[in-house]
Amino acid sequence: MFQIVTIIGADHPQSTNHRLASYLSKRFENEAHFPFYPLEELPPFSKDLLEENTPQVEGFRNAILEADAVLFVTPEYDHSVPALLLNALEWLAFEPYPLLEKPTMIVGASYGNLGTSRAQDHLLDVLRAPQLQAAVQADAGFLLSRSREAFDDKGDLVQPQVREKLDQKMNDFLYFVKISTQNPHLRRKTIDQVRTYRYQSEK
């Protein structure tokens, strides 16, 4: 069974993004385990803390390293992702580069019609940064709009077509995870390039 660390950008446990994450973990419980990682435990990012081996940061990095994949569940604030989530990603942009070539999926729920589309685009850009380079499958994101009306009292998605679309997206992602775990050399091939990478301003 796959281990898919689930990172939720919304810190309120009753948010519709939490409900979406809970729905996925329950619906696909026979295919994967979805441990939720509490981002609020991470300190604000600072390079000055990198050498201190903060237990919360080390635990977070190790959880990502040991996982088969990562699922990001993000709300959208001001056309972007929450600061809580960006702070977490900063901690992953240094050795041992835990997101490097890690199979990654992005989903998100919003009250409006766009379903966190801008936030997901922004997050995708960040995940493509040289020191992150998560393996995000093309067209693998899922947008849940009108999320306040999307769930019933049991936490299940109400609309059959929405359930079917999410099922297809998740099944495609699980297949992607399976293929990726069979090719561990991809990470080894890329990590040396990341270690020697320099931004133009540093050259």
Side-chain angles (χ1 to χ4, degrees):
M1 182 176 290
F2 296 128
Q3 184 89 348
I4 301 178
V5 170
T6 302
I7 300 175
I8 307 172
D11 56 359
H12 196 290
Q14 300 303 317
S15 71
T16 55
N17 280 280
H18 271 269
R19 298 185 75 180
L20 177 58
S22 296
Y23 170 82
L24 283 169
S25 67
K26 178 181 176 181
R27 189 163 181 84
F28 290 91
E29 62 184 354
N30 293 328
E31 287 80 21
H33 179 50
F34 296 82
F36 293 2
Y37 201 92
L39 297 185
E40 61 272 12
E41 294 183 359
L42 295 173
F45 174 76
S46 172
K47 281 190 175 182
D48 296 331
L49 298 177
L50 288 174
E51 304 299 326
E52 295 188 11
N53 296 319
T54 308
Q56 297 92 333
V57 174
E58 290 303 302
F60 181 48
R61 288 173 172 167
N62 288 334
I64 302 297
L65 271 175
E66 295 168 5
D68 297 300
V70 178
L71 173 67
F72 286 100
V73 187
T74 182
E76 181 174 307
Y77 301 150
D78 301 317
H79 292 187
S80 186
V81 297
L84 188 71
L85 181 51
L86 289 176
N87 179 67
L89 290 171
E90 293 285 3
W91 285 115
L92 300 179
F94 296 87
E95 291 272 9
Y97 305 112
L99 267 181
L100 187 66
E101 298 295 348
K102 185 73 66 174
T104 301
M105 182 176 182
I106 305 171
V107 301
S110 75
Y111 294 169
N113 292 323
L114 297 180
T116 74
S117 60
R118 298 183 185 92
Q120 292 194 34
D121 285 345
H122 185 191
L123 180 54
L124 183 57
D125 283 342
V126 175
L127 291 172
R128 288 171 173 164
Q131 280 80 16
L132 292 174
Q133 293 195 53
V136 184
Q137 186 182 15
D139 195 34
F142 175 77
L143 308 169
L144 180 64
S145 59
R146 302 288 181 180
S147 59
R148 281 183 290 191
E149 301 90 41
F151 300 94
D152 62 21
D153 293 339
K154 296 180 180 179
D156 294 325
L157 288 171
V158 174
Q159 296 294 332
Q161 64 269 28
V162 176
R163 291 198 303 269
E164 292 170 6
K165 182 177 181 180
L166 182 53
D167 283 350
Q168 184 62 58
K169 292 278 187 179
M170 182 56 69
N171 283 322
D172 288 347
F173 179 63
L174 290 171
Y175 182 74
F176 178 54
V177 175
K178 179 181 178 180
I179 297 301
S180 298
T181 55
Q182 294 172 352
N183 293 275
H185 67 281
L186 291 175
R187 174 178 167 82
R188 292 194 297 268
K189 180 179 179 181
T190 310
I191 195 165
D192 289 337
Q193 299 173 3
V194 174
R195 284 172 174 155
T196 59
Y197 184 86
R198 293 294 181 273
Y199 285 98
Q200 190 68 33
S201 60
E202 298 175 323
K203 295 179 180 179

